[in-house]
Amino acid sequence: NIEEIIMELVLGLKAIGAGLACLGMIGAGIGLGTLAGKYFEAVARQPEAESKIKGIFMLSLAIVESVALFAFAVAMIIIFVL
């Protein structure tokens, strides 16, 4: 039946779209790893500056993590709403 074929095609295209939307999570993971590595490197070089750097570090982590959450939300919208 042609309607069943079209429904399966739409489901497959939704899966591809959700997968592409999740590519933002890869960038967020790389960003979080880089950010944490640079933070620990900076603290290792100047331990007395840790209190000054920690607030900026936590804010930066939240901003980078929000990209992954937005990508996840878009993927879920593609799968379940559209």
Side-chain angles (χ1 to χ4, degrees):
N1 191 353
I2 191 73
E3 292 176 5
E4 292 175 1
I5 294 171
I6 291 174
M7 290 301 293
E8 288 183 21
L9 179 63
V10 168
L11 184 62
L13 291 174
K14 281 184 178 183
I16 291 171
L20 290 174
C22 287
L23 288 177
M25 293 182 191
I26 295 172
I30 292 169
L32 288 171
T34 303
L35 186 62
K38 295 295 183 178
Y39 169 74
F40 290 120
E41 183 181 323
V43 171
R45 287 179 185 220
Q46 287 191 316
E48 66 275 1
E50 180 181 6
S51 61
K52 294 179 183 179
I53 302 172
K54 187 179 279 189
I56 296 170
F57 172 65
M58 292 296 175
L59 180 64
S60 301
L61 284 179
I63 291 170
V64 172
E65 185 65 29
S66 68
V67 173
L69 291 175
F70 285 134
F72 178 73
V74 168
M76 291 300 109
I77 289 170
I78 289 172
I79 291 175
F80 294 113
V81 176
L82 298 180

